[in-house]
Each structure stands twice: as C-alpha cells, then as structure tokens.
Amino acid sequence: MPTGVHIRDARRHLFDAAERILFRDGPNTLTSRAVAAEAGVAKGVLHRHFADFDAFLVDLVQERIARIDDQAAALREAAGTGTVAGNLTGALMDLFDPVAVAIVGLVVFRDELRVRLRQARPGRGIPVLAEAAAMIASYLDDECELGRIAVDTDADALALSLIGAGHLLFAEREGGPPDAGAVGKVVTAVIADVVQRRLL
C-alpha cells in the first residue's frame, strides 16, 4: 500500500497482520518488515505509530494479556457450574490458541521485549503465562470457597502446574493443537487430589 493512503485503524491493522504471521509461521519470522508486508503497508507506517518494533510488540502482547483478563472474568463466572475439570479444560483450550503460544515464544526469546513488559506490568514470571496462572488461581480459589475442591488447596501452585502442563501440550506446532479429550485427561490428573480430598 503506498504511503499516504488512509488506514482506518492502523494499529489494529498491524496487530492483525502480526497475528497472522504468528499463526502461520511462528515467532521467528516476525519482523517489522514482515508485518508491514503482511499488512500491505509501507514499513514507515509501523514506525509512525510505534517508537520502535519492540514498542509495537509490547502493545501486541499487552492486548493479548487484556484478552486473558476477559477470559478470567468468564472463568470466574463459571465457578460452581459444570465440573471443575471441564471448566479448566475449556479455559486452557481458549487460552492456548496458536497465536498465544507463539506470543509466549516471542516473549521468552526477546530479552528487550520481556524487560519492557516487566516495566509496564511489574511482577514475576513470564508475561502472558503469569497472567494465565493468576486467572486459573483465582478460579480455583472460588471453587475452593464453594467447596468443590479441597479447602487446603494451594491454588497458586496448582495453577502453575496446569499452565505448565497446558503450555507443553499446545507448544508443539506440528500436527495441530491437542483435542479437548487430551487436555481434559491432563487436567483431571493434575487436579485429582484436590477434587478427591474435598470428599474426605
């Protein structure tokens, strides 16, 4: 697209292009040149809206984190309904879509991006995964209060186990993502103790 052509929402247009690249090719191919080419715009368009490529990536990741915040609200609404394993399985299936998995890889391997994200959102852990673990922990706390899991459940530790296991299941790019049955099997195994002990 030639310079000077108006794009209604250039930021959204560039984010969508980046997500298509992440989905199709993974994080290793994501460059400012690739994003501009995918978006069909001159490379200068990206630099008119962002100080540099890492600033663009920070905003892209923060947008993904905002989606996790929305997912967290929906998951907490599900507390007390369905089964704990079913709710957690659905949450992991929604959380670890191919773009989210690629974004985690991007955060892990780009030191400057990780530093800037930590400045914007202080805390421990890998951005995106840390927010996902907090989402799961909050849900588990709610289920604990409702008596659907053991009263002494360490929600934070259990959430880390679920996020780690979920990420491992979804991280393999070959062959596509696991199905709900495979994810549910792992979730059921991870939470078996706290579900069984609530009955004692």
Side-chain angles (χ1 to χ4, degrees), residues 73-193:
L75 181 58
R76 291 190 76 179
E77 284 289 317
T81 67
T83 66
V84 175
N87 292 338
L88 289 168
T89 298
L92 292 178
M93 296 292 293
D94 290 343
L95 179 67
F96 287 117
D97 66 57
V99 173
V101 172
I103 284 176
V104 169
L106 195 65
V107 170
V108 168
F109 291 108
R110 288 187 70 103
D111 293 337
E112 180 62 22
L113 173 59
R114 210 168 42 258
V115 167
R116 290 189 192 192
L117 284 166
R118 279 290 155 244
Q119 290 169 346
R121 294 178 75 100
R124 298 183 62 124
I126 297 170
V128 177
L129 293 180
E131 286 79 10
M135 170 185 79
I136 298 293
S138 293
Y139 166 75
L140 290 169
D141 283 336
D142 290 348
E143 291 289 16
C144 188
E145 286 183 22
L146 293 168
R148 298 202 331 151
I149 60 176
V151 69
D152 62 346
T153 296
D154 184 338
D156 292 330
L158 195 56
L160 288 174
S161 296
L162 288 163
I163 292 301
H167 186 248
L168 285 173
L169 281 172
F170 284 88
E172 177 58 50
R173 289 185 56 84
E174 301 298 321
D179 63 23
V183 176
K185 182 178 178 183
V186 170
V187 168
T188 300
V190 171
I191 68 170
D193 178 62

Side-chain angles (χ1 to χ4, degrees), residues 33-114:
R33 186 178 308 277
V35 171
E38 181 73 24
V41 299
K43 188 176 172 187
V45 171
L46 189 145
H47 294 288
R48 273 198 297 279
H49 293 276
F50 301 93
D52 57 30
F53 191 56
D54 280 314
F56 168 77
L57 293 176
V58 166
D59 283 4
L60 177 69
V61 173
Q62 287 186 322
E63 182 181 82
R64 180 57 62 153
I65 290 170
R67 291 184 200 178
I68 293 172
D69 294 342
D70 293 341
Q71 289 173 318
L75 181 58
R76 291 190 76 179
E77 284 289 317
T81 67
T83 66
V84 175
N87 292 338
L88 289 168
T89 298
L92 292 178
M93 296 292 293
D94 290 343
L95 179 67
F96 287 117
D97 66 57
V99 173
V101 172
I103 284 176
V104 169
L106 195 65
V107 170
V108 168
F109 291 108
R110 288 187 70 103
D111 293 337
E112 180 62 22
L113 173 59
R114 210 168 42 258

